[in-house]
Amino acid sequence: MNGQKKIAIIGAGVAGLAAGIYAQLHGFRTTIYEKSSVPGGACMGWTQDGLPIEGSMRFLAGTQEGTPLYDCWNEVDALRDTMFVNPDSFFTVEDSGETISFCEDLDTFCSNAEKISPEDSRLLQQFRAFVLKAQGHVLQTQKPVDLMSPLEALRVNSANGEVNKLLARLHNVPLVDFAQKFHHPALRCAFRQVLPPGSTLAYLVLCYAKFISGDIAVPVGGSRRIIKRMTDMYLKNDGELQVNAPVKEIIAANGAARGVILESGERLLTHWVISACDPAYTCRKLLQDRYAMEKKLQLRFAAPEAYPTFSLVRLFFSAPADSLPLARTLSFATDVIPAAGEGQSRLTVTQFSDDPLFVQKGRAELCADVPMPGKRAFKYWESLSVQHGAYQVEIDRLASAVQLALEKRFPEMKGQLKYLRCHTPMTYADRLNAFHGSCVAFVPTAQSRPAQLTGRLPGLSHMLLAGQWLGDTAGMHTALVQGKFAVQRLCHDERILWD
């Protein structure tokens, strides 16, 4: 044990836990330092009033057996003995007196939409063809491109072949532009609302293709159980986890990372450091601006038009399970809800009654999301947080408006809806050190470009980044893969065979 090389891993989210597991399995001695009292990072889950609450995950990618991503989840024991719920719809929208549901059967979606708007039949059939073709896409989890030989890279590219060509073409089409082509306002609304603002047609086509194929589903027990299983595997393999242990600084000397200093003042020397938290926070705060990210990653943070961040105010309620909407996620029109000094006239809600473990004494979670995209919204909440009482007053105002909107849309909830808590962009900034309070990493837009990021910092050896910020799309699956890739790069540098 004493001869093992030591790695300090910052952050016990999916990326940090994955990096810790893979590193332990390849002969390293790791310690994960987590600032919160429990592991999980962005995967927030808790119990309130005896009711399990899911704070982040709506769906999980990589749930179809036999796929590389599914195998990757199982390598870290995240899905052991897990059952999956396959909801009837990916997203449902009410608008102009109609209901548009991106249901699990693609033909049903198209036929229902054509009944509402026969004149949009051609465009719907075109969308159907895109989705069917995208079902052949395989996420690359074998190893990072920067470690591939030319032959390996060729094999990876050929695996997706024509699908990649299609997605590259659709990546240049903003989803809002595609939505505008529809004649019927309900269809226009559905295609605008289904993904965060700025998203591309390629992103929707790929997500929907994975959903109808069963590769995007809901793991019973939610993200909390995934984190528990990963943590157990990490500890079973002799990893060390320290919670309530925020890192103050990364020790760097002579062009190499040499350990970490905790907020408590404890100084810990290691051979390597993996930062599985926000890259901007890592460079600005933990490295005190002495080292910068690789230029392709810097560009993402410096170009918000092409690489926008996305956050929201998320309000959690409990309600009788039989009063919840049938759709898992539903967007509907409301009276104007005050938000970041402006107003939102739509509300998106997600209910969790389809997971039996989330129903207790006939009640289940209902979560309402109010979008707060970009830096301006974050600055609004940041300014409120330093004013005495103003932050809580705004939360109370927003919670009251959202509850009224829910009771108006679902009259059977009146007097039965219980407000639990609220997350704002400041929640994500404080808990995750997330850039501009983002609850996910960058939204892929038509202006963004895929990049082969390495997670390395120019001029600083023995230091690697991991996490969803390094992927072309965000999510738990990206964090998982990037955690694996970080350790593969480390093994490559240490000349350790990856098996």
Side-chain angles (χ1 to χ4, degrees):
M1 179 69 78
N2 291 334
Q4 292 177 303
K5 290 198 171 182
K6 298 178 182 179
I7 306 172
I9 300 174
I10 305 170
V14 170
L17 289 169
I21 291 168
Y22 283 113
Q24 289 292 139
L25 292 174
H26 286 82
F28 294 93
R29 183 180 178 185
T30 68
T31 303
I32 300 177
Y33 300 97
E34 169 57 47
K35 68 178 290 188
S36 299
S37 59
V38 293
C43 296
M44 303 176 187
W46 66 92
T47 299
Q48 190 165 344
D49 297 339
L51 184 69
I53 301 296
E54 175 62 63
S56 57
M57 186 182 70
R58 297 299 177 261
F59 293 97
L60 182 71
T63 58
Q64 186 178 40
E65 290 189 36
T67 62
L69 186 54
Y70 180 86
D71 293 342
C72 201
W73 280 120
N74 280 301
E75 286 171 359
V76 297
D77 206 31
L79 300 180
R80 173 172 40 88
D81 299 326
T82 299
M83 297 182 66
F84 298 99
V85 174
N86 295 96
D88 292 338
S89 65
F90 179 72
F91 195 85
T92 301
V93 171
E94 294 177 350
D95 187 76
S96 304
E98 302 289 354
T99 299
I100 306 293
S101 182
F102 291 89
C103 49
E104 62 179 342
D105 185 89
L106 180 60
D107 288 336
T108 300
F109 163 74
C110 291
S111 63
N112 288 345
E114 286 175 359
K115 288 177 185 176
I116 293 171
S117 181
E119 56 192 340
D120 284 314
S121 176
R122 183 192 60 79
L123 196 56
L124 287 164
Q125 289 304 315
Q126 184 183 52
F127 177 70
R128 176 182 179 276
F130 293 156
V131 173
L132 287 174
K133 191 167 188 177
Q135 284 186 283
H137 181 270
V138 178
L139 183 68
Q140 198 285 107
T141 66
Q142 177 189 1
K143 66 167 65 172
V145 174
D146 49 286
L147 298 187
M148 288 183 183
S149 67
L151 181 58
E152 287 174 323
L154 181 63
R155 286 174 179 166
V156 167
N157 289 332
S158 62
N160 285 315
E162 293 301 314
V163 179
N164 276 348
K165 292 180 181 178
L166 170 68
L167 294 176
R169 179 161 58 90
L170 300 185
H171 179 81
N172 294 318
V173 181
L175 192 52
V176 66
D177 289 357
F178 184 74
Q180 200 58 35
K181 293 181 180 180
F182 287 95
H183 292 85
H184 199 285
L187 283 168
R188 291 199 297 268
C189 181
F191 279 85
R192 284 198 307 266
Q193 296 294 324
V194 62
L195 291 177
S199 296
T200 66
L201 179 57
Y203 193 28
L204 174 59
V205 164
L206 184 57
C207 287
Y208 195 24
K210 295 296 182 184
F211 176 73
I212 65 172
S213 68
D215 199 32
I216 288 180
V218 180
V220 171
S223 62
R224 194 177 180 187
R225 290 207 166 193
I226 289 174
I227 294 298
K228 175 69 166 55
R229 286 187 286 265
M230 291 180 70
T231 302
D232 288 347
M233 183 176 185
Y234 174 66
L235 296 175
K236 184 179 72 174
N237 283 281
D238 298 322
E240 181 182 355
L241 171 63
Q242 292 193 22
V243 296
N244 295 314
V247 173
K248 179 181 180 182
E249 183 181 343
I250 295 171
I251 301 170
N254 300 319
R258 295 302 183 195
V260 296
I261 301 174
L262 304 185
E263 289 285 357
S264 64
E266 187 177 1
R267 188 181 180 92
L268 303 149
L269 299 181
T270 61
H271 298 92
W272 281 85
V273 175
I274 296 176
S275 181
C277 63
D278 182 286
Y281 178 82
T282 299
C283 294
R284 185 187 70 251
K285 173 71 174 177
L286 302 183
L287 286 166
Q288 301 176 344
D289 281 327
R290 288 175 293 166
Y291 298 91
M293 296 171 273
E294 56 189 311
K295 289 190 176 181
K296 289 180 180 179
L297 186 53
Q298 286 185 56
L299 174 63
R300 294 187 177 189
F301 285 93
E305 301 82 10
Y307 302 89
T309 56
F310 180 75
S311 194
L312 42 75
V313 170
R314 180 164 278 169
L315 299 113
F316 301 91
F317 299 85
S318 74
D322 57 8
S323 72
L324 296 173
L326 294 178
R328 179 171 176 83
T329 300
L330 173 68
S331 169
F332 59 92
T334 70
D335 296 331
V336 175
I337 296 171
E342 297 180 354
Q344 295 285 344
S345 59
R346 296 194 68 86
L347 198 60
T348 298
V349 296
T350 301
Q351 59 92 3
F352 293 82
S353 65
D354 49 7
D355 183 339
L357 296 184
F358 277 77
V359 180
Q360 297 292 327
K361 296 181 179 179
R363 297 182 70 85
E365 174 190 353
L366 178 67
C367 180
D369 291 343
V370 182
M372 296 279 166
K375 179 179 178 180
R376 188 193 57 77
F378 172 66
K379 290 298 182 184
Y380 174 82
W381 284 97
E382 187 178 43
S383 66
L384 287 177
S385 68
V386 297
Q387 300 176 42
H388 180 69
Y391 181 74
Q392 189 58 49
V393 167
E394 183 67 1
I395 287 177
D396 293 343
R397 183 170 74 106
L398 193 54
S400 177
V402 168
Q403 183 160 346
L404 285 173
L406 290 171
E407 291 175 345
K408 182 176 181 179
R409 172 59 186 82
F410 307 104
E412 58 273 25
M413 289 184 184
K414 194 164 186 178
Q416 301 293 319
L417 198 61
K418 183 177 180 181
Y419 169 67
L420 300 175
R421 70 167 69 179
C422 174
H423 288 167
T424 76
M426 291 307 299
T427 307
Y428 303 105
D430 292 340
R431 191 176 191 273
L432 307 175
N433 302 313
F435 183 68
H436 291 164
S438 301
C439 58
V440 296
F442 304 109
V443 177
T445 69
Q447 291 75 40
S448 65
R449 289 293 174 264
Q452 296 175 8
L453 302 173
T454 67
R456 301 183 186 273
L457 278 64
L460 185 65
S461 68
H462 294 78
M463 169 81 202
L464 288 161
L465 303 175
Q468 62 173 331
W469 296 89
L470 300 182
D472 291 323
T473 59
M476 291 171 63
H477 66 288
T478 299
L480 165 73
V481 173
Q482 292 299 329
K484 175 183 179 178
F485 285 177
V487 179
Q488 286 182 308
R489 293 179 177 112
L490 194 153
C491 287
H492 175 269
D493 290 1
E494 291 287 347
R495 298 184 180 181
I496 293 173
L497 181 65
W498 184 270
D499 51 18

